[in-house]
Amino acid sequence: MIMSKEAVKRFFVELENNPALKEKFLEEIKNSGTAKDIVAFGELHGSRFTETDLNELNDELLENSELQDEALAKASGGMSTQNGVLTSISSLGIGCV
C-alpha cells in the first residue's frame, strides 16, 4: 500500500463516499482527534499513511486556504475569516468535522 499524502486524500474521499464509515470516524475521533488517532482509524479500515503524511497534507491545505483567504480579503475590501483545520478537512470533502 502507498503511504503518502495521496493515501490521506483517498482516505478522506472514502469517508465522504461511505456515510456509515464517516459517522464511525467522527464518533471515534470527536473526543481527541489527534493525528495518531486518525492514522490508527485509517489503518484499521485499510488505509495506510503516517502522521507525517497527514500533517504535511494539513499544512499544505492550510497554506492554500490562507492564500485563498488573502485573495478573498482583497476582493471583499479587507474582510477575512479564520478557517483553520476545518477548511483543510472540508477541502478533502469532510464538511462536518
Side-chain angles (χ1 to χ4, degrees):
M1 291 190 162
I2 297 171
M3 293 177 61
S4 68
K5 291 185 290 188
E6 289 302 316
V8 178
K9 289 178 187 178
R10 282 192 299 275
F11 170 69
F12 281 104
V13 168
E14 181 181 345
L15 287 179
E16 191 62 27
N17 292 329
N18 184 336
L21 184 61
K22 180 178 176 178
E23 184 176 327
K24 186 174 183 178
F25 171 77
L26 293 173
E27 183 63 32
E28 288 192 21
I29 67 153
K30 75 178 180 181
N31 293 326
S32 66
T34 65
K36 184 177 181 177
D37 294 331
I38 294 169
V39 169
F41 185 91
E43 189 167 330
L44 184 63
H45 295 280
S47 296
R48 290 187 47 95
F49 50 87
T50 66
E51 289 180 52
T52 300
D53 297 330
L54 182 63
N55 290 328
E56 285 178 359
L57 180 62
N58 187 56
D59 290 347
E60 184 179 299
L61 293 171
L62 283 174
E63 182 178 310
N64 289 338
S65 172
E66 289 169 7
L67 293 174
Q68 291 170 359
D69 286 347
E70 185 177 306
L72 180 60
K74 287 180 183 176
S76 65
M79 296 173 53
S80 65
T81 59
Q82 294 180 338
N83 295 320
V85 175
L86 294 180
T87 298
S88 298
I89 294 173
S90 293
S91 69
L92 290 173
I94 305 299
C96 52
V97 172

Coordinates of all heavy atoms in Angstrom, one line a residue:
M1 N 0.8 -1.2 0.0 CA 0.0 0.0 0.0 C 0.9 1.3 0.0 O 1.9 1.3 0.6 CB -0.9 0.0 1.2 CG -2.0 -1.0 1.2 SD -3.1 -0.7 2.6 CE -4.4 -1.7 2.0
I2 N 0.4 2.3 -0.6 CA 1.1 3.5 -0.7 C 0.9 4.3 0.6 O -0.2 4.5 1.1 CB 0.6 4.4 -1.9 CG1 0.9 3.6 -3.2 CG2 1.2 5.7 -1.9 CD1 0.2 4.2 -4.4
M3 N 2.0 4.9 1.1 CA 1.9 5.7 2.3 C 2.3 7.1 1.9 O 3.5 7.3 1.6 CB 2.8 5.2 3.4 CG 2.3 3.9 3.9 SD 3.4 3.2 5.2 CE 3.3 4.4 6.5
S4 N 1.4 8.0 1.8 CA 1.7 9.3 1.3 C 0.5 10.3 1.5 O -0.6 9.9 2.0 CB 2.0 9.3 -0.2 OG 0.8 9.0 -0.9
K5 N 0.7 11.5 1.2 CA -0.4 12.5 1.2 C -1.6 12.0 0.3 O -2.7 12.3 0.7 CB 0.1 13.9 0.8 CG 1.0 14.5 1.8 CD 1.4 15.9 1.5 CE 2.3 16.0 0.3 NZ 2.8 17.3 0.0
E6 N -1.2 11.4 -0.8 CA -2.3 10.8 -1.7 C -3.1 9.8 -0.9 O -4.4 9.7 -1.1 CB -1.7 10.3 -2.9 CG -1.1 11.3 -3.9 CD -2.2 12.4 -4.3 OE1 -3.3 12.0 -4.6 OE2 -1.8 13.6 -4.3
A7 N -2.5 9.0 -0.1 CA -3.2 8.0 0.7 C -4.2 8.7 1.7 O -5.3 8.2 1.9 CB -2.3 7.0 1.4
V8 N -3.7 9.8 2.2 CA -4.6 10.5 3.2 C -5.8 11.1 2.4 O -6.9 11.0 2.9 CB -3.8 11.7 3.8 CG1 -4.7 12.5 4.8 CG2 -2.6 11.2 4.6
K9 N -5.6 11.6 1.2 CA -6.7 12.2 0.4 C -7.7 11.1 0.1 O -8.9 11.3 0.2 CB -6.1 12.8 -0.9 CG -5.4 14.1 -0.7 CD -4.9 14.6 -2.0 CE -4.0 15.8 -1.8 NZ -3.4 16.3 -3.1
R10 N -7.2 9.9 -0.3 CA -8.1 8.8 -0.7 C -8.9 8.4 0.5 O -10.0 8.0 0.4 CB -7.2 7.6 -1.2 CG -6.8 7.8 -2.7 CD -6.3 6.6 -3.3 NE -5.1 6.1 -2.7 CZ -3.9 6.5 -2.9 NH1 -3.6 7.4 -3.8 NH2 -2.8 6.0 -2.2
F11 N -8.2 8.4 1.7 CA -8.9 8.0 2.9 C -10.1 9.0 3.2 O -11.2 8.5 3.5 CB -8.0 8.0 4.1 CG -8.6 7.9 5.5 CD1 -9.3 6.7 5.8 CD2 -8.7 9.0 6.3 CE1 -9.9 6.6 7.1 CE2 -9.3 8.9 7.6 CZ -9.9 7.7 7.9
F12 N -9.9 10.3 3.1 CA -11.0 11.2 3.3 C -12.0 11.2 2.2 O -13.2 11.4 2.5 CB -10.4 12.6 3.5 CG -9.9 12.8 4.9 CD1 -8.5 12.9 5.1 CD2 -10.7 13.0 6.0 CE1 -8.0 13.0 6.4 CE2 -10.2 13.1 7.3 CZ -8.9 13.2 7.5
V13 N -11.7 10.9 1.0 CA -12.6 10.7 -0.1 C -13.5 9.4 0.2 O -14.7 9.5 0.1 CB -12.0 10.5 -1.5 CG1 -12.9 10.0 -2.5 CG2 -11.4 11.9 -1.9
E14 N -12.8 8.4 0.7 CA -13.6 7.2 1.1 C -14.6 7.5 2.2 O -15.7 7.0 2.2 CB -12.6 6.1 1.5 CG -13.3 4.8 1.9 CD -12.3 3.7 2.4 OE1 -11.1 3.8 2.2 OE2 -12.8 2.7 3.0
L15 N -14.2 8.3 3.2 CA -15.1 8.6 4.3 C -16.3 9.4 3.7 O -17.4 9.2 4.1 CB -14.4 9.5 5.3 CG -13.4 8.9 6.2 CD1 -12.8 9.9 7.1 CD2 -14.0 7.8 7.0
E16 N -16.0 10.3 2.8 CA -17.1 11.1 2.2 C -18.1 10.2 1.4 O -19.3 10.4 1.4 CB -16.6 12.2 1.4 CG -17.6 13.2 0.9 CD -18.3 14.0 2.1 OE1 -17.6 14.1 3.2 OE2 -19.4 14.4 1.9
N17 N -17.6 9.2 0.8 CA -18.4 8.3 0.0 C -19.1 7.2 0.8 O -19.9 6.5 0.2 CB -17.6 7.7 -1.2 CG -17.1 8.8 -2.2 OD1 -17.8 9.7 -2.4 ND2 -16.0 8.6 -2.8
N18 N -18.7 7.0 2.0 CA -19.2 6.0 2.8 C -19.8 6.6 4.1 O -19.1 6.7 5.1 CB -18.1 4.9 3.2 CG -18.6 3.7 3.9 OD1 -19.7 3.8 4.6 ND2 -17.9 2.6 3.8
P19 N -21.1 7.0 4.1 CA -21.7 7.7 5.3 C -21.5 6.9 6.6 O -21.3 7.5 7.7 CB -23.1 7.9 4.9 CG -23.1 7.8 3.4 CD -22.0 6.9 3.0
A20 N -21.7 5.6 6.6 CA -21.6 4.8 7.8 C -20.1 4.8 8.4 O -19.9 5.0 9.6 CB -22.0 3.3 7.5
L21 N -19.1 4.8 7.5 CA -17.7 4.8 7.9 C -17.4 6.2 8.4 O -16.8 6.4 9.4 CB -16.8 4.5 6.8 CG -15.3 4.4 7.1 CD1 -15.0 3.4 8.2 CD2 -14.5 4.1 5.9
K22 N -18.0 7.2 7.7 CA -17.7 8.6 8.1 C -18.3 8.9 9.5 O -17.7 9.5 10.4 CB -18.4 9.6 7.1 CG -18.2 11.0 7.5 CD -18.8 11.9 6.4 CE -18.8 13.4 6.7 NZ -19.4 14.2 5.6
E23 N -19.5 8.4 9.8 CA -20.2 8.5 11.1 C -19.3 7.9 12.2 O -19.1 8.4 13.2 CB -21.6 7.9 11.0 CG -22.3 8.1 12.3 CD -23.8 7.6 12.2 OE1 -24.4 7.7 11.2 OE2 -24.3 7.1 13.3
K24 N -18.8 6.7 11.9 CA -18.0 5.9 12.8 C -16.7 6.7 13.1 O -16.3 6.9 14.2 CB -17.7 4.5 12.3 CG -16.9 3.7 13.3 CD -16.8 2.3 12.7 CE -16.1 1.4 13.7 NZ -16.0 0.0 13.3
F25 N -16.1 7.2 12.0 CA -14.9 8.0 12.2 C -15.1 9.3 13.0 O -14.4 9.5 14.0 CB -14.4 8.5 10.8 CG -13.3 9.5 10.8 CD1 -12.0 9.1 11.0 CD2 -13.5 10.8 10.5 CE1 -10.9 10.0 11.0 CE2 -12.5 11.7 10.5 CZ -11.2 11.3 10.7
L26 N -16.2 10.0 12.8 CA -16.4 11.2 13.5 C -16.7 10.9 15.0 O -16.3 11.6 15.9 CB -17.6 12.0 12.9 CG -17.4 12.6 11.5 CD1 -18.7 13.1 10.9 CD2 -16.3 13.6 11.6
E27 N -17.4 9.8 15.2 CA -17.7 9.4 16.6 C -16.4 9.0 17.4 O -16.2 9.4 18.5 CB -18.7 8.2 16.6 CG -19.1 7.8 18.0 CD -19.9 8.8 18.8 OE1 -20.6 9.6 18.2 OE2 -19.7 8.8 20.0
E28 N -15.5 8.3 16.7 CA -14.3 7.8 17.3 C -13.3 8.9 17.6 O -12.5 8.8 18.6 CB -13.7 6.7 16.5 CG -14.5 5.4 16.7 CD -13.8 4.2 16.2 OE1 -12.5 4.2 16.1 OE2 -14.5 3.2 15.8
I29 N -13.3 9.9 16.7 CA -12.2 10.9 16.9 C -12.7 12.2 17.5 O -12.0 13.1 17.8 CB -11.5 11.3 15.6 CG1 -12.5 12.0 14.6 CG2 -10.9 10.1 15.0 CD1 -11.7 12.9 13.7
K30 N -14.0 12.3 17.8 CA -14.6 13.6 18.3 C -14.0 14.0 19.7 O -13.9 15.2 20.0 CB -16.1 13.5 18.4 CG -16.7 12.7 19.6 CD -18.2 12.8 19.5 CE -18.7 12.0 20.7 NZ -20.2 12.1 20.7
N31 N -13.6 13.1 20.5 CA -13.0 13.4 21.8 C -11.6 13.8 21.8 O -11.1 14.7 22.5 CB -13.2 12.3 22.8 CG -14.6 12.0 23.1 OD1 -15.4 13.0 23.2 ND2 -15.0 10.8 23.3
S32 N -10.7 13.2 20.9 CA -9.3 13.6 20.9 C -8.9 14.1 19.5 O -8.3 15.1 19.4 CB -8.4 12.4 21.3 OG -8.5 11.4 20.4
G33 N -9.2 13.3 18.5 CA -9.0 13.7 17.1 C -7.5 14.0 16.8 O -7.2 14.8 16.0
T34 N -6.6 13.3 17.5 CA -5.2 13.5 17.2 C -4.8 12.9 15.9 O -5.5 12.0 15.4 CB -4.3 13.0 18.3 OG1 -4.5 11.6 18.4 CG2 -4.7 13.6 19.7
A35 N -3.7 13.3 15.3 CA -3.2 12.7 14.1 C -3.0 11.2 14.3 O -3.3 10.4 13.5 CB -1.9 13.3 13.7
K36 N -2.5 10.8 15.5 CA -2.3 9.4 15.8 C -3.6 8.6 15.7 O -3.6 7.5 15.2 CB -1.6 9.3 17.2 CG -1.3 7.9 17.6 CD -0.6 7.8 19.0 CE -0.2 6.4 19.3 NZ 0.5 6.4 20.6
D37 N -4.7 9.2 16.3 CA -6.0 8.5 16.2 C -6.5 8.4 14.8 O -7.1 7.4 14.4 CB -7.0 9.3 17.0 CG -6.7 9.4 18.5 OD1 -6.1 8.4 19.0 OD2 -7.1 10.3 19.2
I38 N -6.3 9.4 14.0 CA -6.7 9.4 12.6 C -6.0 8.3 11.8 O -6.5 7.6 11.1 CB -6.6 10.8 11.9 CG1 -7.6 11.7 12.6 CG2 -6.9 10.7 10.4 CD1 -7.4 13.2 12.3
V39 N -4.7 8.3 12.0 CA -3.8 7.3 11.4 C -4.3 5.9 11.8 O -4.4 5.0 10.9 CB -2.3 7.5 11.7 CG1 -1.5 6.3 11.2 CG2 -1.8 8.8 11.0
A40 N -4.5 5.7 13.1 CA -5.0 4.3 13.6 C -6.3 3.9 13.0 O -6.5 2.8 12.6 CB -5.0 4.3 15.1
F41 N -7.2 4.9 12.9 CA -8.5 4.6 12.3 C -8.4 4.2 10.9 O -9.0 3.3 10.4 CB -9.5 5.8 12.5 CG -10.9 5.5 12.0 CD1 -11.8 5.0 12.9 CD2 -11.2 5.7 10.7 CE1 -13.1 4.7 12.5 CE2 -12.5 5.5 10.3 CZ -13.5 5.0 11.1
G42 N -7.6 5.0 10.2 CA -7.4 4.7 8.7 C -6.8 3.4 8.5 O -7.2 2.6 7.7
E43 N -5.8 3.0 9.3 CA -5.1 1.7 9.2 C -6.1 0.6 9.5 O -6.2 -0.4 8.8 CB -3.9 1.6 10.1 CG -3.1 0.3 9.8 CD -1.7 0.4 10.4 OE1 -1.2 1.5 10.6 OE2 -1.3 -0.7 10.8
L44 N -6.9 0.8 10.5 CA -8.0 -0.2 10.9 C -8.9 -0.5 9.7 O -9.5 -1.6 9.6 CB -8.7 0.3 12.1 CG -9.7 -0.7 12.7 CD1 -9.1 -2.0 13.2 CD2 -10.5 0.0 13.8
H45 N -9.1 0.5 8.9 CA -10.1 0.4 7.8 C -9.4 0.4 6.4 O -10.0 0.8 5.4 CB -11.1 1.6 7.9 CG -11.9 1.5 9.1 ND1 -13.0 0.6 9.2 CD2 -11.8 2.1 10.3 CE1 -13.5 0.7 10.4 NE2 -12.8 1.6 11.1
G46 N -8.1 -0.1 6.4 CA -7.5 -0.4 5.1 C -6.7 0.8 4.5 O -6.2 0.6 3.4
S47 N -6.5 1.9 5.1 CA -5.7 3.0 4.6 C -4.4 3.1 5.4 O -4.5 3.2 6.6 CB -6.5 4.3 4.7 OG -7.7 4.2 3.9
R48 N -3.3 3.2 4.7 CA -2.0 3.3 5.4 C -1.4 4.6 5.0 O -1.1 4.9 3.9 CB -1.1 2.1 5.0 CG -1.6 0.8 5.6 CD -0.6 -0.3 5.4 NE 0.8 0.1 5.7 CZ 1.4 -0.2 6.9 NH1 0.7 -0.7 7.9 NH2 2.6 0.2 7.1
F49 N -1.2 5.4 6.1 CA -0.5 6.7 5.9 C 0.1 7.0 7.3 O -0.3 6.4 8.3 CB -1.4 7.8 5.4 CG -2.7 8.0 6.1 CD1 -2.8 8.8 7.2 CD2 -3.8 7.3 5.7 CE1 -4.0 8.9 7.9 CE2 -5.0 7.5 6.3 CZ -5.1 8.3 7.4
T50 N 1.0 7.9 7.3 CA 1.7 8.2 8.6 C 1.2 9.6 9.1 O 0.5 10.3 8.4 CB 3.2 8.4 8.4 OG1 3.5 9.5 7.5 CG2 3.8 7.1 7.8
E51 N 1.5 9.8 10.4 CA 1.2 11.1 11.0 C 1.8 12.2 10.2 O 1.2 13.3 10.0 CB 1.6 11.2 12.4 CG 0.8 10.3 13.4 CD 1.3 10.4 14.8 OE1 1.4 11.5 15.3 OE2 1.5 9.3 15.4
T52 N 3.0 12.0 9.7 CA 3.8 13.0 8.9 C 3.0 13.3 7.6 O 2.8 14.4 7.2 CB 5.2 12.5 8.6 OG1 5.9 12.3 9.8 CG2 5.9 13.5 7.7
D53 N 2.5 12.2 7.0 CA 1.7 12.4 5.7 C 0.5 13.3 6.0 O 0.2 14.2 5.3 CB 1.2 11.1 5.2 CG 2.3 10.2 4.7 OD1 3.4 10.7 4.3 OD2 2.1 8.9 4.8
L54 N -0.2 13.0 7.1 CA -1.4 13.7 7.5 C -1.1 15.1 7.8 O -1.8 16.1 7.3 CB -2.1 13.0 8.7 CG -3.4 13.6 9.2 CD1 -4.5 13.5 8.2 CD2 -3.8 12.9 10.5
N55 N -0.1 15.4 8.6 CA 0.3 16.7 9.0 C 0.8 17.5 7.8 O 0.5 18.7 7.7 CB 1.4 16.7 10.1 CG 0.8 16.2 11.4 OD1 -0.4 16.5 11.7 ND2 1.6 15.6 12.2
E56 N 1.6 16.9 6.9 CA 2.0 17.6 5.7 C 0.9 18.0 4.8 O 0.9 19.2 4.3 CB 3.0 16.7 4.9 CG 4.4 16.6 5.5 CD 5.3 15.7 4.7 OE1 4.9 15.2 3.7 OE2 6.5 15.6 5.2
L57 N -0.1 17.1 4.6 CA -1.3 17.5 3.8 C -2.1 18.6 4.5 O -2.5 19.6 3.8 CB -2.2 16.3 3.6 CG -3.4 16.5 2.8 CD1 -3.0 17.0 1.4 CD2 -4.3 15.3 2.7
N58 N -2.2 18.5 5.8 CA -3.0 19.5 6.5 C -2.2 20.9 6.4 O -2.9 21.9 6.1 CB -3.1 19.2 8.0 CG -4.0 20.1 8.7 OD1 -5.1 20.3 8.3 ND2 -3.5 20.7 9.8
D59 N -0.9 20.9 6.5 CA -0.1 22.1 6.4 C -0.3 22.7 5.0 O -0.5 23.9 4.8 CB 1.3 21.9 6.7 CG 1.6 21.6 8.1 OD1 0.7 21.9 9.0 OD2 2.7 21.1 8.4
E60 N -0.2 21.8 4.0 CA -0.4 22.3 2.6 C -1.8 22.9 2.4 O -1.9 23.9 1.7 CB -0.2 21.0 1.7 CG -0.2 21.3 0.2 CD 0.0 20.0 -0.6 OE1 1.1 19.4 -0.4 OE2 -0.9 19.7 -1.3
L61 N -2.8 22.2 2.9 CA -4.2 22.7 2.7 C -4.4 24.0 3.5 O -5.1 24.9 3.0 CB -5.2 21.7 3.2 CG -5.2 20.4 2.3 CD1 -6.1 19.3 3.0 CD2 -5.7 20.7 0.9
L62 N -3.8 24.1 4.7 CA -3.9 25.4 5.4 C -3.2 26.5 4.6 O -3.7 27.7 4.6 CB -3.3 25.3 6.8 CG -4.2 24.5 7.8 CD1 -3.4 24.3 9.1 CD2 -5.4 25.3 8.1
E63 N -2.1 26.2 4.1 CA -1.3 27.3 3.3 C -2.2 27.7 2.1 O -2.3 28.9 1.9 CB 0.0 26.7 2.8 CG 0.8 27.7 2.1 CD 2.2 27.1 1.6 OE1 2.9 26.6 2.5 OE2 2.5 27.3 0.4
N64 N -2.8 26.8 1.4 CA -3.6 27.1 0.3 C -4.8 27.9 0.8 O -5.3 28.8 0.1 CB -4.1 25.9 -0.5 CG -2.9 25.2 -1.2 OD1 -1.9 25.9 -1.6 ND2 -3.0 24.0 -1.5
S65 N -5.4 27.5 1.9 CA -6.5 28.2 2.4 C -6.2 29.7 2.8 O -7.0 30.6 2.5 CB -7.1 27.5 3.7 OG -8.1 28.2 4.3
E66 N -5.0 29.8 3.4 CA -4.6 31.2 3.8 C -4.4 32.0 2.5 O -4.8 33.2 2.5 CB -3.3 31.1 4.6 CG -3.5 30.6 6.0 CD -2.3 30.3 6.7 OE1 -1.2 30.6 6.2 OE2 -2.4 29.7 7.8
L67 N -3.9 31.5 1.5 CA -3.7 32.2 0.2 C -5.1 32.6 -0.3 O -5.3 33.7 -0.8 CB -2.9 31.4 -0.8 CG -1.4 31.1 -0.5 CD1 -0.8 30.2 -1.5 CD2 -0.7 32.5 -0.4
Q68 N -6.0 31.6 -0.3 CA -7.4 31.9 -0.8 C -8.0 33.0 0.1 O -8.7 33.9 -0.4 CB -8.2 30.6 -0.8 CG -7.7 29.7 -1.9 CD -8.4 28.3 -1.7 OE1 -9.2 28.1 -0.9 NE2 -8.1 27.4 -2.6
D69 N -7.9 32.9 1.4 CA -8.4 33.9 2.3 C -7.9 35.3 2.0 O -8.6 36.3 2.1 CB -8.2 33.5 3.8 CG -9.0 32.3 4.3 OD1 -10.0 32.0 3.5 OD2 -8.7 31.8 5.3
E70 N -6.6 35.3 1.7 CA -5.9 36.6 1.5 C -6.5 37.2 0.2 O -6.8 38.4 0.1 CB -4.4 36.4 1.3 CG -3.6 37.7 1.1 CD -2.1 37.4 1.0 OE1 -1.6 36.7 1.9 OE2 -1.5 37.8 0.0
A71 N -6.7 36.4 -0.8 CA -7.3 36.9 -2.1 C -8.7 37.3 -1.9 O -9.2 38.3 -2.4 CB -7.2 35.8 -3.2
L72 N -9.5 36.5 -1.1 CA -10.9 36.9 -0.7 C -10.9 38.2 0.0 O -11.8 39.0 -0.2 CB -11.5 35.7 0.0 CG -13.0 35.9 0.4 CD1 -13.8 36.1 -0.8 CD2 -13.5 34.8 1.3
A73 N -10.0 38.3 1.0 CA -10.0 39.6 1.8 C -9.7 40.8 0.9 O -10.3 41.8 1.1 CB -8.9 39.5 2.8
K74 N -8.8 40.6 -0.1 CA -8.6 41.7 -1.0 C -9.8 42.0 -1.8 O -10.2 43.2 -2.0 CB -7.4 41.4 -1.9 CG -6.0 41.4 -1.3 CD -4.9 41.1 -2.2 CE -3.6 41.1 -1.5 NZ -2.5 40.6 -2.4
A75 N -10.5 41.0 -2.3 CA -11.7 41.2 -3.1 C -12.8 41.7 -2.3 O -13.7 42.4 -2.9 CB -12.1 39.8 -3.8
S76 N -12.9 41.5 -1.0 CA -14.0 41.9 -0.2 C -13.7 43.2 0.6 O -14.4 43.5 1.5 CB -14.4 40.8 0.8 OG -13.4 40.6 1.7
G77 N -12.6 43.8 0.2 CA -12.3 45.1 0.9 C -11.6 44.9 2.2 O -11.8 45.8 3.1
G78 N -11.0 43.8 2.5 CA -10.3 43.6 3.7 C -10.9 42.7 4.7 O -10.3 42.3 5.7
M79 N -12.1 42.3 4.5 CA -12.8 41.4 5.4 C -12.2 40.0 5.2 O -12.0 39.6 4.1 CB -14.3 41.3 5.2 CG -15.0 42.7 5.4 SD -16.7 42.7 5.0 CE -17.4 41.3 5.8
S80 N -12.0 39.2 6.3 CA -11.5 37.9 6.2 C -12.0 37.0 7.3 O -12.6 37.5 8.2 CB -9.9 37.9 6.2 OG -9.5 38.3 7.5
T81 N -11.8 35.7 7.1 CA -12.3 34.8 8.2 C -11.1 33.9 8.5 O -10.1 33.7 7.8 CB -13.4 33.9 7.6 OG1 -13.0 33.2 6.5 CG2 -14.6 34.7 7.3
Q82 N -11.2 33.2 9.7 CA -10.2 32.3 10.1 C -10.8 30.9 10.0 O -11.7 30.6 10.7 CB -9.7 32.5 11.5 CG -9.0 33.8 11.6 CD -8.5 34.1 13.0 OE1 -9.0 33.6 14.0 NE2 -7.5 34.9 13.2
N83 N -10.3 30.1 9.1 CA -11.0 28.8 8.8 C -10.2 27.6 9.4 O -10.7 26.6 9.7 CB -11.2 28.6 7.3 CG -12.2 29.6 6.8 OD1 -13.2 29.9 7.4 ND2 -11.9 30.1 5.6
G84 N -8.9 27.7 9.5 CA -8.0 26.7 10.1 C -8.2 25.3 9.5 O -8.4 25.1 8.3
V85 N -8.1 24.3 10.4 CA -8.2 22.9 10.0 C -9.5 22.6 9.4 O -9.5 21.7 8.5 CB -7.9 22.0 11.3 CG1 -8.0 20.6 10.9 CG2 -6.5 22.3 11.8
L86 N -10.6 23.2 9.8 CA -11.9 22.8 9.2 C -11.9 23.1 7.7 O -12.4 22.3 7.0 CB -13.0 23.6 9.9 CG -13.3 23.2 11.4 CD1 -14.4 24.1 11.9 CD2 -13.6 21.8 11.5
T87 N -11.3 24.2 7.3 CA -11.1 24.4 5.9 C -10.3 23.3 5.2 O -10.7 22.8 4.2 CB -10.5 25.8 5.6 OG1 -11.4 26.8 6.2 CG2 -10.3 26.0 4.1
S88 N -9.2 22.9 5.9 CA -8.4 21.9 5.3 C -9.2 20.6 5.1 O -9.1 20.0 4.0 CB -7.2 21.6 6.2 OG -6.4 22.7 6.4
I89 N -9.8 20.2 6.1 CA -10.6 19.0 6.0 C -11.8 19.1 5.1 O -12.1 18.2 4.3 CB -11.0 18.5 7.4 CG1 -9.8 18.1 8.2 CG2 -12.0 17.3 7.3 CD1 -10.0 17.8 9.7
S90 N -12.4 20.3 5.1 CA -13.5 20.5 4.2 C -13.1 20.4 2.7 O -13.8 19.9 1.9 CB -14.2 21.9 4.4 OG -14.8 21.9 5.6
S91 N -11.9 20.8 2.4 CA -11.4 20.7 1.0 C -11.2 19.3 0.6 O -11.1 19.0 -0.5 CB -10.1 21.6 0.9 OG -9.1 21.0 1.6
L92 N -11.1 18.4 1.6 CA -11.0 17.0 1.3 C -12.3 16.3 1.2 O -12.5 15.1 1.0 CB -10.1 16.3 2.3 CG -8.7 16.6 2.3 CD1 -8.0 16.0 3.5 CD2 -8.0 16.1 1.0
G93 N -13.4 17.1 1.5 CA -14.7 16.5 1.4 C -15.4 16.2 2.7 O -16.5 15.7 2.7
I94 N -14.7 16.5 3.8 CA -15.3 16.2 5.1 C -15.8 17.6 5.6 O -15.1 18.3 6.2 CB -14.3 15.6 6.1 CG1 -13.7 14.4 5.5 CG2 -14.9 15.3 7.4 CD1 -14.6 13.3 5.2
G95 N -17.1 17.8 5.4 CA -17.6 19.1 5.8 C -18.1 19.3 7.2 O -18.4 20.3 7.6
C96 N -18.2 18.2 8.0 CA -18.8 18.4 9.3 C -17.9 18.0 10.4 O -18.3 17.7 11.5 CB -20.1 17.6 9.4 SG -19.9 15.9 9.0
V97 N -16.6 18.0 10.2 CA -15.6 17.8 11.2 C -15.4 19.1 12.0 O -15.3 20.1 11.5 CB -14.2 17.3 10.7 CG1 -13.2 17.2 11.8 CG2 -14.4 15.9 10.1

